[in-house]
Amino acid sequence: MTKAELRKLIRSMPKEQLEEALLELHGRQDKTKKEVFELILKGISENRILPDKKASIPDTRTMQKKLETIRDRIQGWYYYRRRSARTRARRDLKTMISQLLLCPSQSIVYPEACSLLEDLFDLSVTYLHTDLFPGTSIESVYHLSADELFRTIAGFILKSGYTRDNLKRLSSLSCIVESSDWALSMHLQEILVSILKNGDIRIEMMDILEDRIQAGLELGQAGLLLDRLCILYLLICEQETSLENGTAWIREATDDKKALSLLNLFQRCRTVVRERQQEYFWEEEKGRH
């Protein structure tokens, strides 16, 4: 039956028969497809954007347990001993990312899907040099570079808008708090700043970062997350106002010594990022010739 024929049939059906047909179709869907079906009906009735044609509802509860198991096994050196387990874990991680990215932003499990993608990304870049992720790239597992995966997950999170909660999520995502690689974190933060193209959105992110940094200081927190939030703050200030203004705010929030230490760290990280980018460029050039 063509679309035109189907439309003609629907128009010819009495309201009661149409309701019966929709209820029958709904009842024949499995659990995940049933929710997508409901989202489509709600979207049409409320004149809202419909889920993508490939949309699917992921089983976030099962994925959360599986991800926790994988993390525990990495930390327990389980994958060092079992090659078959490493292969299975890589396949599971790739499948999880693919399924999570199909979750429509209208779904009630969308926030959970965002959180799981953040955890998956953090795990992937943190354990790059382990037996699960051999070498210096995650491409062998996901067929995406760390840059591409970050952009993909950031885009997924922003499907529901540039909300304050989503911007906060992205600020945390770029900090990769379990990784000791400061340069990688700064590189991801530079990508994040490029994604926040609108000046108003960048100012909103600056406000979020100021609140997070001040709250952390008031609670007596210190360490990786707080310092990396400060680096992201300096990057955005450099774009919107000036690096000096950003350093001045940090000096007021902390002290001269801390502000100078962060500025020096900022400059060192930027040097390493540029060196890595140059190395990557030359490797790409070699591959072409």
Side-chain angles (χ1 to χ4, degrees), residues 201-219:
I201 296 173
R202 289 180 181 173
I203 295 299
E204 178 75 6
M205 180 66 94
M206 286 173 63
D207 289 341
I208 291 169
L209 292 170
E210 287 179 1
D211 289 346
R212 294 192 70 182
I213 292 166
Q214 286 179 327
L217 292 170
E218 288 170 6
L219 292 171

Side-chain angles (χ1 to χ4, degrees), residues 8-19:
K8 184 178 179 181
L9 175 61
I10 291 171
R11 285 176 176 171
S12 69
M13 294 173 68
K15 182 182 176 182
E16 294 77 12
Q17 287 185 348
L18 191 56
E19 288 178 354

Side-chain angles (χ1 to χ4, degrees), residues 177 182 212-213 215-228 230 254 258:
V177 293
W182 283 87
R212 294 192 70 182
I213 292 166
L217 292 170
E218 288 170 6
L219 292 171
Q221 295 175 348
L224 216 54
L225 177 59
L226 201 61
D227 285 352
R228 287 185 178 173
C230 288
T254 54
K258 181 65 175 178

